Amino acid sequence: MSNQRPTFFSFVALCFIVFSNVALVTSKSTIEPCSNSDSCNALLGYTLYTDLKVAEVASLFQVDPIAVLTANAIDISYPDVENHILPSRLFLKIPIQCSCVEGFENPFHQVQNSPTGHASSIADSIYAGLVSADQIREVNSIADPSVLDVGENLVVPLPCTCFNGTDNGLPAVYLSYVVKPVDTLAGIAASYSTTITDLMNVNAMGTSSIKDGDILAVPLSACASNFPKYALDYGLIVPNGSYAITASHCVQCSCGPGSRNLYCMPSSLAVSCSSLQCKSSNLKLGNVTVQQSSAGCNVTSCAYGGYANGTIIASLSSSLEPRCPGPQQFPTLVAPPTYVPDSAFAPAPSPQSDGSTTTVPKTSTVPSTGSLPGFGPAGAPLGSMSEASTLVNSVSILPAALMTCLLIKLISPVSL
């Protein structure tokens, strides 16, 4: 992707060459050009259509159940948390890998012999409006989307976007958010600590008018990693107020409220993991020691540096700071949600718990040995649309120099 932010939404992972007269199917979201090297962490805003286990939600999107919980700051230390039943109508942020891959990745949705075996039901109910029946029909070359054979495999494209993992030059993760009847652009902006102008710029909107079913790309302020390219979790970026699980469930990283600094420590699932300790030191990941002196504050820390070849990279660093850092600020953890109160039906609701919360993630390792417990829009939008842009725009508006790889996100849920 170029440094200039494209005014398109994106999908992952169908790539093809576009010619100027190719017509695109009408849909509720927009697209952005990509190159085969583009890849990033992204989020889908998903509302459960029925009670589902955490593992069932994860299977629907082919993601790690623990990753779903950490992305929503839900405490993973509860027993058998992957089989916890989440309530219908709960809003979750689903973490996905948004990437541009040439050709299909062979993911499918298995249609069942039930009333939901129609493209419209799959799109509007099971996937909560993140995809349209027309998109399912187009991608799967279905003549009549209301008639699907039992056991038929379907490709289900879902929206995501990267924009270089930045928003206005700062680290960001993009959430694909389905607009609800009660939403306003101002309300969505306030809920996600951004501005109306930024949302209009990102989504190529001519006005602030939105309608039920529109899909918006919402930038979330985040903490970015600086892992080497050979690390499996290279490019890890975590939105403010949430967590991410990595290194085969051995390490949990967080981005505290208003922070830009990624903080990683052993997770509560770290039972049989490779060394979580820095070499030539008794400090473990996330441990920090401080010592005040006349020259300032001597800070020594053991930091996580990525996961490669089955090995956790840990690095020891020392520095002299003008003042000693304060305690590490963690995002507030919530208990696994059991119900959704009526108040949750406001713009961009968050997971609701049963009222019990914890403010510091649990860890199975020795706590810190130090005194700290851890540590008009820019560029006019294309067209003069009054709502979020849609795929009715001709592909010919894309830059001619691009071979134009259009991102299509292929998600493969298991049988429901």
Side-chain angles (χ1 to χ4, degrees):
M1 249 177 266
S2 63
N3 290 328
Q4 181 180 3
R5 171 155 51 199
T7 51
F8 301 100
F9 210 94
S10 54
F11 283 81
V12 188
L14 166 67
C15 301
F16 51 91
I17 300 175
V18 177
F19 299 94
S20 61
N21 294 324
V22 175
L24 289 182
V25 59
T26 300
S27 81
K28 296 182 293 184
S29 31
T30 53
I31 57 176
E32 72 167 334
C34 73
S35 69
N36 286 346
S37 61
D38 292 332
S39 179
C40 71
N41 300 128
L43 295 167
L44 300 173
Y46 178 65
T47 302
L48 274 67
Y49 68 100
T50 188
D51 292 354
L52 291 172
K53 294 179 181 180
V54 174
E56 290 176 319
V57 175
S59 293
L60 193 63
F61 295 94
Q62 274 204 323
V63 297
D64 180 2
I66 299 299
V68 172
L69 295 170
T70 55
N72 292 276
I74 297 173
D75 196 342
I76 61 174
S77 66
Y78 280 71
D80 198 27
V81 69
E82 291 164 281
N83 285 314
H84 176 80
I85 298 176
L86 300 170
S88 175
R89 303 185 300 174
L90 179 70
F91 179 85
L92 292 174
K93 295 188 285 288
I94 308 296
I96 61 170
Q97 188 69 20
C98 186
S99 58
C100 180
V101 180
E102 189 170 357
F104 288 105
E105 292 181 326
N106 301 317
F108 301 99
H109 174 74
Q110 189 78 25
V111 178
Q112 299 299 299
N113 185 13
S114 69
T116 60
H118 302 277
S120 59
S121 296
I122 293 170
D124 298 331
S125 179
I126 295 178
Y127 285 100
L130 284 165
V131 65
S132 70
D134 282 344
Q135 287 173 330
I136 292 176
R137 176 187 61 80
E138 180 75 6
V139 171
N140 294 276
S141 301
I142 299 171
D144 185 354
S146 66
V147 180
L148 299 176
D149 296 331
V150 175
E152 182 177 353
N153 290 324
L154 291 180
V155 172
V156 180
L158 296 173
C160 68
T161 195
C162 289
F163 290 140
N164 298 318
T166 63
D167 179 47
N168 297 313
L170 296 173
V173 174
Y174 285 84
L175 169 74
S176 301
Y177 180 76
V178 181
V179 174
K180 300 174 177 60
V182 297
D183 283 332
T184 63
L185 200 64
I188 295 172
S191 294
Y192 290 107
S193 302
T194 186
T195 65
I196 295 175
T197 299
D198 200 18
L199 287 177
M200 291 178 65
N201 180 27
V202 168
N203 292 279
M205 299 169 65
T207 76
S208 61
S209 174
I210 57 176
K211 65 179 185 295
D212 181 28
D214 283 343
I215 301 179
L216 299 178
V218 180
L220 307 182
S221 178
C223 300
S225 63
N226 190 27
F227 305 154
K229 287 188 176 182
Y230 59 80
L232 290 178
D233 46 6
Y234 170 75
L236 178 68
I237 182 169
V238 182
N240 279 148
S242 65
Y243 297 80
I245 197 78
T246 186
S248 295
H249 290 179
C250 290
V251 177
Q252 182 169 287
C253 299
S254 65
C255 183
S259 176
R260 292 287 181 184
N261 298 316
L262 190 68
Y263 175 81
C264 300
M265 61 185 289
S267 78
S268 59
L269 306 178
V271 178
S272 41
C273 301
S274 62
S275 177
L276 296 168
Q277 185 169 319
C278 279
K279 293 182 179 179
S280 304
S281 169
N282 61 353
L283 297 184
K284 294 182 181 294
L285 287 183
N287 285 172
V288 178
T289 61
V290 297
Q291 184 176 6
Q292 189 70 54
S293 69
S294 58
C297 184
N298 293 299
V299 180
T300 302
S301 62
C302 180
Y304 176 67
Y307 187 63
N309 299 319
T311 301
I312 293 172
I313 303 171
S315 59
L316 190 68
S317 64
S318 298
S319 62
L320 180 65
E321 305 294 337
R323 62 182 63 87
C324 292
Q328 174 65 33
Q329 297 298 310
F330 293 99
T332 299
L333 287 171
V334 299
T338 57
Y339 71 99
V340 179
D342 291 339
S343 61
F345 296 100
S350 299
Q352 302 291 324
S353 73
D354 58 7
S356 61
T357 63
T358 56
T359 55
V360 179
K362 298 180 179 65
T363 173
S364 61
T365 61
V366 180
S368 171
T369 57
S371 60
L372 302 178
F375 247 96
L382 296 178
S384 57
M385 305 181 65
S386 60
E387 294 92 15
S389 300
T390 66
L391 284 183
V392 293
N393 294 317
S394 170
V395 192
S396 60
I397 63 176
L398 300 179
L402 295 173
M403 190 166 73
T404 314
C405 165
L406 301 181
L407 293 171
I408 304 289
K409 178 64 185 176
L410 307 178
I411 302 299
S412 154
V414 297
S415 301
L416 296 178

